[in-house]
């Protein structure tokens, strides 16, 4: 493998690995949204057709 | 009084894993490495075009699908026809979602068959049944036999492959019957980490292969990595339209955008649930599996054992002919081979489940069926389609025909429609605001321009090139253009030395019937929605 090939591999693999790690840290450390803001009300069985 | 809680995701990580599971499939581990390693259109130029396409087409359309899906869900719709009905608010709007129903269901017709090959190969590999010696022809013959390529109807006479197909088909419907959180989410939350762990084990094995045959020092993992990652002539590559076409198409297919899946999955989110970070995370997970894992396992291993010629055979050849031969040549090969095909099977299950949910969602809300009814009806529809693919197995003609018209052309068309609907029916500004509702991440402002102008223009250009190349047979030359009808077209109309294929014609006719049936269902669903 040439030096340029090694660089391409390291940058590509490193970039996607870093991006995934950063995203997962953000997702797992994010505060939970307050449920009541967008809670979907239970649908009555008799109203299912009208939903 | 009984109440029914609407089905939905139980956690944010669950929906991210489900979308990533939908996107991660055979293409990540078999197709992508083959494209990068291609001497004509691969190398550094391909990677640059790939990452640019990811930034200006893949990621924006992902965000668009997540945003429109969540919006549709807040309007009470979970299927593509319903969501577009809510967005467009015109009688024709619901028909824009037609492809969002027929693409995932149509792709399922053949994807579940490939999924059963993966399970069958994993089973055979663990049992030592894939060690066929050093003759490459034996592996090709075994694959042709397992998939029934020698004659139509052959697979029905083969006990084991048909049992694998039936088992996988039923397994998918058992999982989908359990619903979003207890079915899809449960499988993806466990399946994706297991898949990544298996891939890391295989990666460690490949990286420690060294030079398997000391008599051939040029065949080493290091040189295999070089074969794949050495950049070649970047300037020449980037000026080649074929490089851009292949890179953009790979990005498009690998992310499952334009599939009707993400839009359906996102519709089960709540109004304040984040879509920007979730969409980015699912995309990143797919890219990690594709570039970080897929890019380091298959091609270097194939090169180290068999040299460059082994790599250039296409997805199925690499996966089912070349790799079994490699596993047979390494210590504990049956174990590593079994793990590899288990990985492919897990990737395929999480993808095939995502192909069923858009159909289930539509049948539930369009026809008012409960889950049992919708699962039964979709089971019937897919059983008919799968029977066609399974029975007409000679040269995999039916599979190839469905893949071309639904899996290639259909997905490109739907993705292009999606970005136009977002910009011109929903409105870019409104969509931008909608995307940031409850968002835990701001999309860079430059992306508003990209979404509005760059993505549609780029996607339209790539779609036209794709059709011109794969339908009209364009040679991708602007200086001396020439058009030669491609095999899928010749299969339908015939040509000199290439008689029309009865199976291809029958399959195309079936697909047209299926599309007409779906349009009829959407028409009926529209009346129901209008009466709300």
């Amino acid at each position: 493998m040439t030096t340029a090939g090694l660089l391409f591999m390291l940058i590509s693999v490193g970039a996607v690995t870093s991006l995934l790690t950063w995203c997962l840290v953000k997702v797992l450390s994010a505060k939970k949204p307050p449920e009541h803001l967008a809670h979907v009300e239970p649908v009555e069985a008799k109203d299912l057709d009208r939903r | 009084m009984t109440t029914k809680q609407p089905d939905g995701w139980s956690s944010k990580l669950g929906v991210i894993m489900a979308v990533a599971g939908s996107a991660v499939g055979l293409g990540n581990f078999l197709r992508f490495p083959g494209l990068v390693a291609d001497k004509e259109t691969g190398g550094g130029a391909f990677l640059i075009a790939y990452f640019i396409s990811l930034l200006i087409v893949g990621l924006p359309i992902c965000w668009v699908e997540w945003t429109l899906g969540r919006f549709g869900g807040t309007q009470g719709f979970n299927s593509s026809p319903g969501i577009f009905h809510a967005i467009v608010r015109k009688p024709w709007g619901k028909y824009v979602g037609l492809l969002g129903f027929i693409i995932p269901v149509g792709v399922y017709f053949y994807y579940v068959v490939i999924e059963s090959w993966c399970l069958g190969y994993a089973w055979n590999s663990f049992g030592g049944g894939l060690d066929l010696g050093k003759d490459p022809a034996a592996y090709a013959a075994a694959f042709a036999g397992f998939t029934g390529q020698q004659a139509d109807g052959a697979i029905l006479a083969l006990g084991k492959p048909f049992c694998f197909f039936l088992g996988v088909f039923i397994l998918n419907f058992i999982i989908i019957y359990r619903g979003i959180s207890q079915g899809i989410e449960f499988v993806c939350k466990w399946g994706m980490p297991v898949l990544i762990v298996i891939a890391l084990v295989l990666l460690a094995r490949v990286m420690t292969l060294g030079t398997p045959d000391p008599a051939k020092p040029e065949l080493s993992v290091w040189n295999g990595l070089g074969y794949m990652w050495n950049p070649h002539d970047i300037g020449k590559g980037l000026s080649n339209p074929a490089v851009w076409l292949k890179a953009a198409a790979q990005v498009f297919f690998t992310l499952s955008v334009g599939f009707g899946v993400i839009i359906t999955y996102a519709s089960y989110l709540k109004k304040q649930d984040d879509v920007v970070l979730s969409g980015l995370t699912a995309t990143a997970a797919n890219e990690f599996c594709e570039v970080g894992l897929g890019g380091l396992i298959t091609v270097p291993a194939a090169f180290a054992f068999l040299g460059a010629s082994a790599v250039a055979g296409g997805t199925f050849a690499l996966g089912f002919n070349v790799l079994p031969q490699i596993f047979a040549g390494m210590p504990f090969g049956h174990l590593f081979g079994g793990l590899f095909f288990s990985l492919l099977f897990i990737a395929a299950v999480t993808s095939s489940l995502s192909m069923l949910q858009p159909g289930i969602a539509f049948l539930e809300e369009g026809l008012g069926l409960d889950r049992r009814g919708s699962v039964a009806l979709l089971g019937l529809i897919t059983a008919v389609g799968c029977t066609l693919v399974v029975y007409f197995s000679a040269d995999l003609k039916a599979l190839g025909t469905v893949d071309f018209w639904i899996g290639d052309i259909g997905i490109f068309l739907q993705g292009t429609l999606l970005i136009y609907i977002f910009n011109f029916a929903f409105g870019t500004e409104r969509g931008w605001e909608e995307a940031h509702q409850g968002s835990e991440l701001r999309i860079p402002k430059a992306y508003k321009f990209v979404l509005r102008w760059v993505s549609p223009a780029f996607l339209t250009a790539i779609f036209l090139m794709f059709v011109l190349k794969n339908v009209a047979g364009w040679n991708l030359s602007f200086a001396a253009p020439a058009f030669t009808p491609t095999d899928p077209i010749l299969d339908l109309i015939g040509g000199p030395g290439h008689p029309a294929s009865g199976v291809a014609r029958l399959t195309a006719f079936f697909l047209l019937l299926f599309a007409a049936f779906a349009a009829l269902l959407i028409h009926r669903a529209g009346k129901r929605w209008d009466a709300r």
Side-chain angles (χ1 to χ4, degrees):
Chain A
M1 181 155 57
T2 61
T3 308
L6 183 63
L7 273 177
F8 260 96
M9 185 182 83
L10 291 178
I11 291 171
S12 302
V13 175
V16 294
T17 308
S18 306
L19 179 65
L20 176 62
T21 308
W22 181 80
C23 286
L24 285 176
V25 168
K26 287 279 283 181
V27 167
L28 294 174
S29 62
K31 61 180 189 294
K32 219 178 165 187
E35 289 292 320
H36 67 274
L37 280 181
H39 178 69
V40 180
E41 288 302 319
V43 179
E44 299 296 322
K46 63 184 170 54
D47 291 336
L48 279 177
D49 277 356
R50 279 189 280 146
R51 185 173 165 261
Chain B
M1 185 183 296
T2 58
T3 60
K4 180 181 163 118
Q5 188 76 31
D7 202 0
W9 306 105
S10 68
S11 69
K12 186 193 288 180
L13 201 58
V15 63
I16 291 170
M17 286 294 171
V19 172
S22 164
V24 175
L26 272 65
N28 296 59
F29 297 95
L30 298 177
R31 190 167 187 266
F32 173 78
L35 288 170
V36 182
D38 190 297
K39 287 291 130 194
E40 294 293 315
T41 55
F46 176 85
L47 283 167
I48 291 171
Y50 177 86
F51 283 114
I52 289 175
S53 301
L54 180 68
L55 288 176
I56 65 174
V57 178
L59 200 48
I61 299 186
C62 262
W63 280 325
V64 164
E65 278 210 58
W66 278 82
T67 304
L68 294 183
R70 187 188 58 180
F71 172 81
T74 61
Q75 305 297 304
F77 293 100
N78 301 115
S79 69
S80 266
I83 291 168
F84 284 111
H85 173 74
I87 291 169
V88 177
R89 297 195 172 278
K90 292 202 166 48
W92 53 266
K94 54 188 174 290
Y95 296 105
V96 178
L98 173 72
L99 287 173
F101 173 69
I102 63 174
I103 288 173
V105 177
V107 171
Y108 183 85
F109 292 163
Y110 66 87
Y111 201 86
V112 69
V113 180
I114 300 171
E115 192 178 323
S116 72
W117 299 347
C118 299
L119 180 63
Y121 265 59
W123 179 276
N124 287 343
S125 190
F126 278 129
L130 274 189
D131 188 349
L132 304 173
K134 291 189 172 177
D135 181 12
Y139 292 90
F143 179 60
F146 192 87
T147 54
Q149 289 183 54
Q150 57 278 58
D152 288 335
I155 200 166
L156 298 175
L158 301 166
K160 225 156 75 170
F162 186 70
C163 289
F164 281 120
F165 162 71
L166 207 58
V168 168
F169 185 90
I170 293 169
L171 174 72
N172 277 310
F173 275 93
I174 290 173
I175 297 171
I176 208 80
Y177 180 71
R178 291 171 59 85
I180 299 279
S181 58
Q182 292 181 20
I184 298 170
E185 185 175 345
F186 178 81
V187 170
C188 292
K189 267 172 90 169
W190 285 99
M192 287 305 290
V194 170
L195 180 150
I196 288 175
V197 169
I198 293 176
L200 289 173
V201 169
L202 291 168
L203 179 61
R205 172 70 279 220
V206 169
M207 289 297 129
T208 52
L209 280 173
T211 307
D213 185 355
K216 296 175 183 169
E218 74 281 7
L219 297 187
S220 65
V221 171
W222 182 251
N223 285 345
L225 287 168
Y227 180 80
M228 179 158 171
W229 291 98
N230 286 345
H232 315 310
D233 187 342
I234 295 177
K236 187 181 166 197
L238 287 177
S239 61
N240 182 358
V243 171
W244 286 94
L245 183 58
K246 286 188 177 181
Q250 175 62 16
V251 164
F252 209 75
F253 296 135
T254 190
L255 293 178
S256 281
V257 288
F259 221 83
V261 170
I262 297 175
I263 202 167
T264 296
Y265 275 6
S267 73
Y268 294 98
L269 293 171
K270 300 182 184 107
K271 190 174 174 60
Q272 290 300 322
D273 283 340
D274 162 87
V275 293
V276 177
L277 179 60
S278 300
L280 182 64
T281 308
T283 302
N286 178 68
E287 291 311 309
F288 173 71
C289 289
E290 179 149 303
V291 180
L293 299 175
L296 298 178
I297 294 175
T298 41
V299 167
F303 184 93
F305 275 89
L306 302 172
S309 59
V311 180
T315 303
F316 288 162
L318 178 62
F320 296 97
N321 295 348
V322 174
L323 290 175
Q325 197 181 340
I326 289 160
F327 291 125
M330 67 170 70
F332 302 106
H334 64 286
L335 181 66
F336 289 109
L339 281 175
F340 179 76
F341 288 108
S342 300
L343 174 152
L344 291 187
F345 176 65
I346 295 170
V349 170
T350 53
S351 299
S352 62
L353 289 175
S354 74
M355 294 165 197
L356 293 176
Q357 185 55 34
I360 296 286
F362 171 67
L363 296 176
E364 282 181 346
E365 72 187 18
L367 305 184
L369 300 176
D370 59 10
R371 181 147 286 250
R372 186 188 297 258
S374 60
V375 167
L377 181 54
L378 191 64
L380 183 68
I381 294 169
T382 52
V384 174
C386 290
T387 301
L388 186 88
V389 172
V390 168
Y391 183 81
F392 292 108
S393 56
D395 300 328
L396 303 179
K397 187 60 83 179
L399 188 155
T401 305
V402 183
D403 181 36
F404 180 75
W405 291 108
I406 302 278
D408 286 348
I409 303 286
I411 290 177
F412 252 123
L413 184 59
Q414 173 72 352
T416 310
L417 276 175
L418 197 72
I419 196 88
Y420 280 99
I421 291 289
F422 177 82
N423 280 307
F424 301 107
F426 197 72
T428 316
E429 199 63 46
R430 184 181 167 209
W432 187 263
E433 294 302 318
E434 179 69 30
H436 287 95
Q437 284 270 351
S439 153
E440 287 161 17
L441 194 70
R442 294 292 301 180
I443 304 173
K445 272 192 177 168
Y447 259 101
K448 203 187 281 189
F449 178 79
V450 172
L451 271 169
R452 174 76 177 175
W453 301 110
V454 181
S455 301
F458 186 79
L459 192 53
T460 305
I462 292 294
F463 176 56
L464 288 176
M465 276 172 60
F466 187 85
V467 171
L468 284 171
K469 178 180 184 295
N470 294 288
V471 176
W474 179 33
N475 62 354
L476 288 174
S477 165
F478 291 102
F483 295 88
T484 313
T486 55
D487 284 350
I489 301 302
L490 291 172
D491 281 343
L492 297 181
I493 61 174
H498 190 126
S501 160
V503 171
R505 284 180 168 180
L506 178 71
T507 308
F509 178 68
F510 171 77
L511 293 178
L512 282 176
L513 269 184
F514 173 52
F517 176 65
L520 200 66
L521 293 183
I522 291 173
H523 176 72
R524 192 185 153 121
K527 284 187 174 175
R528 181 183 166 83
W529 297 331
D530 290 339
R532 276 182 182 185

